[in-house]
Amino acid sequence: MKNLCIAFAALLCSGLAVSNPVSALSANRSVAPQQQTSPAVPDTTIGVILVAPVTMEITDSISAKMKQQQQELVNGWEIFEAAADQNDTIVSVEIVPDQNSLDAIKLGLDDSVLFMEGSAKLSPKAEAILSRVAENLNNFPETDVTIVGYTSTTGTQQVNMDLSMSRAQNVMDYLVAKGVDATRMKAIGKNWQDPVATNATAAGRAMNRRVEIWVTANQQMIDNMQQ
């Protein structure tokens, strides 16, 4: 019996700065960059926002707000944990650094919990889970959201690109239908790029078929903390 579980962890600082599939905040900081373990989306897919230097105090405040939002998101999964069935998918909620070392939230969903195989239509379970996500995002409006769809290597590259984009877009469309402002969200299709497991096995391909939702501090949050 594999219950629906929530895994969340803060990543430690390291000496390397890397790219994330989140809104880039180009700023000079006195804090050490953090190592990010998740696949990177090229910076060219995301708009760059230029901001004034962010102080350690603001960085700490953003971290506290992100951890609060993360905890409320985790609490929202308890209803699904109680009803988990065998072979249910793992839902992960992590605190990770964005491109400029500000804390961000990464929500990971195996796409089997969202879609039927080869389909971009949301399942009833997907709608239930994403309703909780929408409620959380509406409670924390000072954040931006990047939704990234991935596939395995089954099928052609173009088919998988179209499928990954359709899945990411359908997740975004559902969140918009639940009241989340479309202007704070972006959908990206990454097909079989950035695998998290081998595509040589069925189990590995299942892990690579996934949707990630990244939640980052937006300009409004930073501006409010600088006042």
Side-chain angles (χ1 to χ4, degrees):
M1 177 72 67
K2 182 169 72 175
N3 287 341
L4 180 66
C5 61
I6 305 299
F8 60 96
L11 301 184
L12 300 177
C13 292
S14 74
L16 299 175
V18 294
S19 298
N20 284 336
V22 294
S23 297
L25 305 174
S26 297
N28 296 320
R29 299 187 173 78
S30 60
V31 296
Q34 294 171 293
Q35 178 67 42
Q36 114 92 339
T37 60
S38 300
V41 170
D43 296 341
T44 54
T45 63
I46 308 293
V48 176
I49 303 173
L50 299 179
V51 298
V54 176
T55 65
M56 179 70 77
E57 181 180 1
I58 292 175
T59 299
D60 291 343
S61 297
I62 289 174
S63 178
K65 292 202 73 168
M66 284 295 174
K67 288 175 182 176
Q68 178 189 359
Q69 183 173 0
Q70 176 209 30
Q71 187 57 56
E72 292 193 17
L73 186 57
V74 168
N75 292 342
W77 300 130
E78 292 178 354
I79 184 174
F80 302 106
E81 193 171 8
D85 297 323
Q86 188 174 5
N87 297 323
D88 268 353
T89 275
I90 292 176
V91 179
S92 63
V93 185
E94 301 175 89
I95 293 290
V96 298
D98 72 5
Q99 188 176 13
N100 292 284
S101 300
L102 293 176
D103 276 353
I105 298 169
K106 187 185 80 169
L107 170 63
L109 296 167
D110 184 322
D111 74 4
S112 67
V113 79
L114 300 177
F115 312 99
M116 295 295 290
E117 184 174 356
S119 172
K121 182 180 179 180
L122 291 169
S123 69
K125 182 181 290 186
E127 294 181 352
I129 290 176
L130 292 175
S131 290
R132 295 279 176 162
V133 175
E135 181 180 356
N136 179 271
L137 294 176
N138 286 328
N139 288 338
F140 294 88
E142 294 180 336
T143 54
D144 286 336
V145 183
T146 302
I147 302 161
V148 189
Y150 296 92
T151 67
S152 68
T153 54
T154 302
T156 67
Q157 184 175 22
Q158 188 58 54
V159 165
N160 280 287
M161 176 59 77
D162 294 343
L163 181 60
S164 65
M165 185 65 219
S166 294
R167 288 178 167 180
Q169 187 64 52
N170 284 353
V171 169
M172 177 175 163
D173 290 345
Y174 186 83
L175 295 175
V176 170
K178 290 297 181 179
V180 182
D181 186 352
T183 63
R184 57 188 286 213
M185 294 193 288
K186 179 187 293 288
I188 299 173
K190 291 284 291 177
N191 62 40
W192 57 53
Q193 299 179 54
D194 305 320
V196 295
T198 177
N199 278 297
T201 65
R205 290 191 295 272
M207 293 177 66
N208 290 330
R209 294 191 295 266
R210 68 196 189 278
V211 172
E212 295 175 353
I213 301 175
W214 295 74
V215 182
T216 57
N218 67 13
Q219 188 64 56
Q220 180 184 353
M221 179 187 293
I222 294 172
D223 288 346
N224 289 343
M225 290 179 178
Q226 288 175 330
Q227 293 177 358

